[in-house]
């Protein structure tokens, strides 16, 4: 679904062209899982509890590895910087400077309307991204295996373990813990690809669009700002995607209530472009906040 | 269910009872039995490592590398840097010769590409040029190899050799002589590495030529796999033939002669013979392994001494 939506250009495509695909994604977010027909498995959308468990695994592994004598990241970084001279402050500065360049210019790039200027900026920003990627890869290669990165890598694989189930009640995981630990790289890679493909539908761009759709805003308007009413469960049990949609929809609902724009929100009709709809909420929100700041 | 990377065999002599019917001096039918030494190769398999085993292997390397550095061993980068500060590892004569050889290769390559004719004379010249380029490259690699020893004592090389032994201890499986379809972990299934190392030591000290050969072959295969990474089934066939060229291990079976008396079987001792360069290189790897193993127990002491 995510890949299908990526084919649309929001500036030129109509809201109604994406409406059903976005509603289908919203359906999965609402029920908290997606069904993967090709594999006949259920992909559970993870929430606070699973993220916490993964953090716990990572912390325990880091501690265990340090106890085993695997060096810490700081230890190795100090060694390659101070003892062998393979890495230096100049190398670090190169990364920092490229990162600053990106953060300083990203907003300008997003707002720039002049194509030539945008094109020129993109070239420089891509160069900065490449520098960051190359220098970081070089640093990691020189640092080698350390407790923290190794633990992080293994802990990350548990997203796969926690996400896949044989049933939609989430009673039977696709693997028990031992079987999962013994999975071969090729098998694990297959599930990582499936995982990434599934999660691509729930990216920030699609969540922003979903939160501006009438099928979400109408429901939000009845929940009296109470997330627990909206999803029927405590906020701590929301999936990450549910929380993301809820916060965005709450903001948009606030905009609908507070806007002074006499023409009201754009009507979802055959002419309305997707970008215009999303931009309208952002624009009105900026005005409301600016006005509230100036009045206080 | 274990998956396997490869399988190989090592010849082994077994006592086989050979019974035949005959007649005694009175013409009575009797059974004559004799025990013969017969070759019955024993199979070995390397287990395809699971993800968990790969992780453990990488962590083991990291620990050993860190221990080496803490004990004062220099890293490859430090050794390179130290030699660079002293003007590099090569003598002036070597530097000059290397420069000459590299220039020669460039000129020969240029000559080769100038020969765009397609006749017999040009073909002969091309072959001559290629042969000259090959000679130059061989001389360059000989000059470079002479200086490889300076990296032999680095923390990385020490850690790598220990990790190869770790992999041998975790991957090697031997055919069960009682049930030849079954393969058992050669050094036991203990989670404790020390137990496996003890098992390895006992085999190494046992003095049995068959076991010595099995350990040597294992070290050869595992070293190749570890250094080369993505090794296919075809690659292991090449490993097998390379190993066979360099190995002198042979078992001699008793001859099965009707009237003959059982000939005492013996295992031919390895003898020195000239080896091709590539074989020598591969063998060096396995020798390093066994050296590393015997060094292992006293490694902490040695490292501490080196640190001083």
């Amino acid at each position: 679904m995510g890949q299908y939506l990526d084919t649309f250009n929001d500036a030129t495509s109509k809201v109604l062209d994406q409406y059903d695909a976005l509603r289908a994604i919203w359906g999965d977010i609402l029920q908290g899982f997606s069904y993967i027909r090709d594999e006949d498995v259920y992909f559970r959308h993870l929430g606070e509890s699973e993220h916490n468990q993964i953090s716990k695994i990572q912390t325990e592994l880091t501690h265990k590895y340090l106890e085993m004598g695997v060096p810490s990241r700081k230890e190795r970084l100090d060694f390659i910087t101070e003892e062998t001279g393979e890495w230096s402050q100049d190398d670090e500065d190169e990364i920092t400077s490229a990162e600053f360049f990106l953060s300083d210019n990203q907003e300008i790039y997003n707002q720039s309307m002049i194509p030539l200027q945008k094109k020129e900026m993109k070239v420089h920003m891509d160069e900065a991204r490449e520098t960051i990627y190359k220098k970081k890869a070089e640093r990691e290669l020189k640092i080698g295996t350390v407790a923290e990165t190794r633990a992080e890598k293994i802990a990350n694989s548990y997203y796969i373990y926690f996400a896949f189930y044989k049933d939609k009640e989430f009673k039977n995981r696709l693997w028990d813990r031992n079987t999962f630990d013994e999975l071969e790289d090729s098998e694990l890679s297959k599930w990582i690809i499936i995982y990434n493909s599934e999660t691509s539908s729930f990216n920030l761009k699609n969540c922003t669009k979903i939160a501006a759709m009438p099928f979400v805003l109408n429901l939000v308007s009845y929940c009296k700002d109470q997330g627990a009413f909206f999803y029927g469960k405590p906020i701590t049990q929301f999936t990450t995607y549910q929380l993301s949609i809820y916060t965005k929809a709450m903001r948009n609902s606030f905009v609908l209530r507070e806007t002074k724009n006499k023409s009201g929100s754009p009507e979802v009709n055959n002419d309305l472009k997707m970008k215009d709809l999303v931009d309208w909420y952002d624009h009105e929100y900026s005005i409301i906040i600016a006005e509230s700041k100036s009045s206080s | 269910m274990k998956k396997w990377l490869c399988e190989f065999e090592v010849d082994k002599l077994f006592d086989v009872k050979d019974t035949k019917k005959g007649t005694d001096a009175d013409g009575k039918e009797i059974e004559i039995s004799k025990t013969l030494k017969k070759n019955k190769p024993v199979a070995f398999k390397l287990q395809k490592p699971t993800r968990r085993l790969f992780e453990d292997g990488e962590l083991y390397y990291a620990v050993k590398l860190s221990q080496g550095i803490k004990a004062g061993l220099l890293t490859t980068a430090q050794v390179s840097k130290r030699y660079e500060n002293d003007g590099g590892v090569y003598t002036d004569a070597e530097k000059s010769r290397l420069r000459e050889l590299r220039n020669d290769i460039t000129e020969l390559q240029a000559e080769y590409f100038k020969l765009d004719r397609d006749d017999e004379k040009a073909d002969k010249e091309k072959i001559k040029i290629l042969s000259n380029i090959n000679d130059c490259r061989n001389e360059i690699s000989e000059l470079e190899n002479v200086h490889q020893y300076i990296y032999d004592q680095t923390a990385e090389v020490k850690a790598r050799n220990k990790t190869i032994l770790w992999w041998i201890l975790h991957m090697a499986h031997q055919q069960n002589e009682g049930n030849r379809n079954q393969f058992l972990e050669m050094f036991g299934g203990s989670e404790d590495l020390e137990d496996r190392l003890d098992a390895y030591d006992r085999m190494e000290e046992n003095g049995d030529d068959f076991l010595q050969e099995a350990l040597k072959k294992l070290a050869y295969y595992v070293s190749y796999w570890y250094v080369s990474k993505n090794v296919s089934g075809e690659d292991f066939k090449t490993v097998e033939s390379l190993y066979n060229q360099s190995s002198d291990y042979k078992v001699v079976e008793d001859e099965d002669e009707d009237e003959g008396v059982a000939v005492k079987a013996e295992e031919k001792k390895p003898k020195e013979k000239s080896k091709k360069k590539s074989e020598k290189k591969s063998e060096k790897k396995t020798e390093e392994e066994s050296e590393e193993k015997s060094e292992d127990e006293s490694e902490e002491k040695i490292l501490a001494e080196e640190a001083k």
Side-chain angles (χ1 to χ4, degrees):
Chain A
M1 217 112 62
Q3 285 156 348
Y4 168 67
L5 280 168
D6 285 343
T7 61
F8 289 98
N9 177 351
D10 289 343
T12 53
S13 79
K14 294 168 193 166
V15 171
L16 289 179
D17 292 340
Q18 300 187 39
Y19 191 91
D20 288 324
L22 289 170
R23 189 159 196 162
I25 294 173
W26 164 238
D28 280 358
I29 292 176
L30 196 56
Q31 67 184 0
F33 66 86
S34 312
Y35 175 64
I36 303 166
R37 196 176 304 277
D38 290 348
E39 302 291 336
D40 191 22
V41 294
Y42 294 86
F43 167 66
R44 182 181 188 170
H45 301 172
L46 304 183
E48 198 61 21
S49 160
E50 290 81 18
H51 293 304
N52 295 345
Q53 285 183 70
I54 291 166
S55 294
K56 192 177 176 193
I57 291 171
Q58 185 174 332
T59 311
E60 284 171 354
L61 284 175
T62 307
H63 183 68
K64 180 182 154 190
Y65 296 161
L66 289 172
E67 292 272 295
M68 277 167 65
V70 180
S72 70
R73 188 178 173 75
K74 185 183 178 310
E75 206 178 312
R76 281 292 297 164
L77 192 59
D78 286 350
F79 182 75
I80 61 168
T81 311
E82 289 158 23
E83 300 290 330
T84 66
E86 291 170 84
W87 191 254
S88 68
Q89 190 55 45
D90 287 348
D91 294 306
E92 283 295 332
D93 290 347
E94 208 177 320
I95 295 173
T96 315
S97 134
E99 281 174 340
F100 272 130
F101 178 82
L102 276 184
S103 60
D104 288 349
N105 289 288
Q106 188 65 55
E107 194 63 24
I108 303 168
Y109 174 80
N110 291 343
Q111 285 168 3
S112 171
M113 303 299 277
I114 308 161
L116 201 65
Q117 187 191 29
K118 210 164 178 172
K119 196 179 166 189
E120 185 73 11
M121 278 185 79
K122 190 176 182 304
V123 171
H124 292 299
M125 286 169 75
D126 285 347
E127 277 172 11
R129 278 193 198 98
E130 201 180 330
T131 303
I132 295 168
Y133 176 79
K134 276 187 182 167
K135 291 301 287 183
K136 282 190 174 175
E138 187 190 340
R139 184 176 63 189
E140 291 313 305
L141 190 71
K142 285 173 176 169
I143 285 176
T145 303
V146 292
E148 296 91 332
T149 45
R150 186 58 46 179
E152 188 184 356
K153 188 190 160 203
I154 295 175
N156 279 344
S157 70
Y158 278 92
Y159 280 101
I160 307 296
Y161 172 73
F162 284 116
F164 292 104
Y165 282 81
K166 291 175 186 166
D167 58 329
K168 60 182 171 190
E169 290 79 28
F170 312 134
K171 285 181 181 159
N172 300 302
R173 287 188 199 282
L174 195 51
W175 315 271
D176 62 45
R177 186 79 176 254
N178 277 338
T179 314
F180 180 75
D181 285 342
E182 297 294 335
L183 274 187
E184 277 190 45
D185 264 341
S186 56
E187 183 70 2
L188 182 66
S189 299
K190 173 191 149 186
W191 288 101
I192 290 173
I193 291 167
I194 293 172
Y195 181 93
N196 289 340
S197 162
E198 281 305 309
T199 51
S200 70
S201 302
F202 310 108
N203 58 27
L204 181 67
K205 195 175 158 193
N206 288 343
C207 284
T208 307
K209 289 192 266 189
I210 289 167
M213 289 288 131
F215 52 77
V216 172
L217 288 172
N218 288 343
L219 293 177
V220 164
S221 66
Y222 295 120
C223 80
K224 300 183 186 300
D225 292 349
Q226 295 296 315
F229 290 163
F230 188 61
Y231 288 117
K233 58 185 176 184
I235 291 171
T236 48
Q237 287 176 20
F238 287 6
T239 69
T240 311
Y241 308 133
Q242 286 172 345
L243 191 62
S244 169
I245 295 286
Y246 179 69
T247 50
K248 287 176 179 61
M250 286 302 292
R251 188 204 71 155
N252 292 347
S253 163
F254 167 77
V255 169
L256 289 174
R257 277 199 312 270
E258 300 295 325
T259 181
K260 303 279 192 305
N261 190 326
K262 284 182 184 151
S263 48
S265 64
E267 192 186 336
V268 178
N269 57 27
N270 208 24
D271 289 330
L272 184 66
K273 304 281 187 294
M274 182 55 86
K275 189 172 185 303
D276 294 338
L277 176 68
V278 172
D279 284 353
W280 185 85
Y281 283 101
D282 288 345
H283 184 247
E284 290 302 313
Y285 183 73
S286 310
I287 294 171
I288 296 165
I289 295 298
E291 280 176 353
S292 90
K293 276 183 185 166
S294 63
S295 62
S296 62
Chain B
M1 182 80 174
K2 283 176 182 169
K3 292 183 178 175
W4 307 105
L5 269 181
C6 68
E7 181 175 347
F8 62 82
E9 289 181 340
V10 176
D11 290 343
K12 186 177 183 183
L13 290 174
F14 285 89
D15 288 336
V16 177
K17 200 173 177 188
D18 186 33
T19 307
K20 282 185 178 140
K21 284 186 178 170
T23 48
D24 65 6
D26 302 331
K28 272 186 178 175
E29 204 172 82
I30 54 164
E31 281 189 346
I32 305 165
S33 294
K34 55 186 174 185
T35 304
L36 298 173
K37 295 276 185 196
K38 286 288 173 192
N39 180 26
K40 224 163 135 189
V42 177
F44 292 83
K45 280 183 178 182
L46 292 183
Q47 187 192 338
K48 193 174 182 184
T50 59
R51 209 159 40 84
R52 185 191 275 176
L53 207 56
F54 264 120
E55 292 294 343
D56 290 349
E58 281 190 41
L59 290 170
Y60 185 79
Y61 174 83
V63 171
K64 290 294 150 192
L65 179 66
S66 176
Q67 282 175 354
I69 291 170
K70 280 180 185 158
L73 285 175
L74 294 179
T75 62
T76 309
Q78 283 173 307
V79 172
S80 299
K81 199 179 163 192
R82 190 166 283 192
Y83 276 94
E84 267 170 38
N85 292 343
D86 295 341
V89 289
Y90 299 107
T91 62
D92 287 344
E94 284 172 335
K95 276 184 205 167
S96 147
R97 183 67 190 141
L98 279 170
R99 220 175 6 249
E100 261 176 40
L101 289 165
R102 283 177 186 137
N103 286 341
D104 287 353
I105 290 177
T106 315
E107 282 170 21
L108 286 164
Q109 279 171 340
E111 268 182 52
Y112 182 88
F113 289 114
K114 271 184 206 164
L115 287 171
D116 51 1
R117 301 190 323 270
D118 214 11
D119 54 46
E120 202 178 320
K121 200 181 166 195
D123 284 348
K124 275 185 182 171
E125 273 184 62
K126 279 183 183 176
I127 290 168
K128 198 181 162 194
I129 291 171
L130 285 176
S131 160
N132 286 341
I133 291 176
N134 207 28
D135 290 345
C136 291
R137 287 200 174 131
N138 283 343
E139 199 178 333
I140 289 175
S141 75
E142 273 170 24
L143 280 168
E144 286 174 344
N145 285 343
V146 168
H147 296 286
Q148 280 305 308
Y149 72 92
I150 63 168
Y151 297 106
D152 285 353
Q153 299 302 318
T154 55
E156 284 94 340
V157 172
K158 290 271 180 191
R160 188 199 66 193
N161 290 341
K162 283 180 181 173
T163 309
I164 291 174
L165 178 61
W166 186 93
W167 277 113
I168 294 172
L169 298 177
H170 286 85
M171 290 165 87
H173 286 66
Q174 184 179 348
Q175 191 173 39
N176 182 357
E177 284 168 20
N179 172 8
R180 293 178 77 87
N181 291 323
Q182 191 183 31
F183 283 80
L184 305 171
E185 285 203 59
M186 204 171 156
F187 307 103
S190 171
E191 288 285 313
D192 189 347
L193 185 67
E194 286 304 313
D195 293 342
R196 292 183 189 231
L197 275 169
D198 287 345
Y200 186 99
D201 283 342
R202 281 195 299 276
M203 284 185 197
E204 211 178 30
E205 286 157 17
N206 172 304
D208 179 331
D209 282 350
F210 162 74
L211 274 178
Q212 297 292 340
E213 174 64 11
L215 293 179
K216 199 176 157 191
K217 208 164 178 179
L218 275 171
Y220 194 92
Y221 271 65
V222 175
S223 300
Y224 183 87
W225 167 81
Y226 183 76
V227 175
S228 314
K229 304 294 172 198
N230 294 318
V231 185
S232 67
E234 280 300 307
D235 294 329
F236 278 116
K237 281 182 192 164
T238 314
V239 176
E240 173 95 54
S241 58
L242 274 173
Y243 183 83
N244 289 341
Q245 281 173 36
S246 66
S247 173
D248 292 309
Y249 178 77
K250 272 191 181 66
V251 294
V252 180
E253 292 181 278
D254 287 341
E255 282 177 31
D256 193 9
E257 293 167 10
D258 278 344
E259 72 285 2
V261 182
V263 180
K264 177 77 186 146
E266 59 172 332
E267 285 161 346
K268 224 162 102 182
K269 299 288 175 200
K271 59 182 179 194
E272 284 302 312
K273 69 173 180 185
S274 61
K275 296 182 179 84
K276 288 180 191 165
K277 205 189 297 173
S278 60
E279 291 163 3
K280 275 186 184 169
K281 206 172 166 187
S282 316
E283 195 171 76
K284 195 180 163 208
K285 234 185 272 171
T286 58
E287 281 168 0
E288 273 175 7
E289 283 317 301
S290 36
E291 279 170 22
E292 275 303 308
K293 175 63 203 74
S294 55
E295 278 174 7
D296 202 50
E297 283 174 5
S298 55
E299 190 63 25
E300 297 305 323
K301 279 184 195 168
I302 295 165
L303 291 177
E305 278 168 20
E306 282 170 353
K308 284 176 198 168

